[in-house]
Amino acid sequence: MLAIVASAAGTAGGIAYVGFRGNSHTRWTKICNIYDKFCQHSAGAILVSLFAAIVLILLILHSVFTMYRKIPN
């Protein structure tokens, strides 16, 4: 699940970067100056997905430490 959430956050960041800066090699122009709401929504989605990835990492670490404590010495 962490791999899926992390890849989704990376993909959203890549698309938002192309929308913000454009890509001169493929002749894609910037769209943030045209579609202002798109950039706001994509920035919000990226922040939420990064927050979800961080929470998922913390939950995994908590689970690992809980399982480690249950192992008898």
Side-chain angles (χ1 to χ4, degrees):
M1 288 306 294
L2 179 61
I4 292 171
V5 171
S7 67
T11 302
I15 295 300
Y17 182 78
V18 170
F20 183 68
R21 297 278 185 189
N23 189 347
S24 62
H25 299 294
T26 58
R27 295 188 178 134
W28 289 355
T29 59
K30 299 184 238 182
I31 62 170
C32 283
N33 54 358
I34 299 169
Y35 300 107
D36 204 22
K37 292 245 183 197
F38 169 76
C39 291
Q40 293 173 356
H41 290 302
S42 61
I46 291 167
L47 289 175
V48 169
S49 63
L50 288 174
F51 178 72
I54 290 170
V55 168
L56 191 56
I57 288 171
L58 292 175
L59 285 173
I60 290 170
L61 289 174
H62 182 269
S63 176
V64 166
F65 287 133
T66 303
M67 290 174 64
Y68 179 73
R69 281 188 277 165
K70 290 185 178 182
I71 296 174
N73 289 331

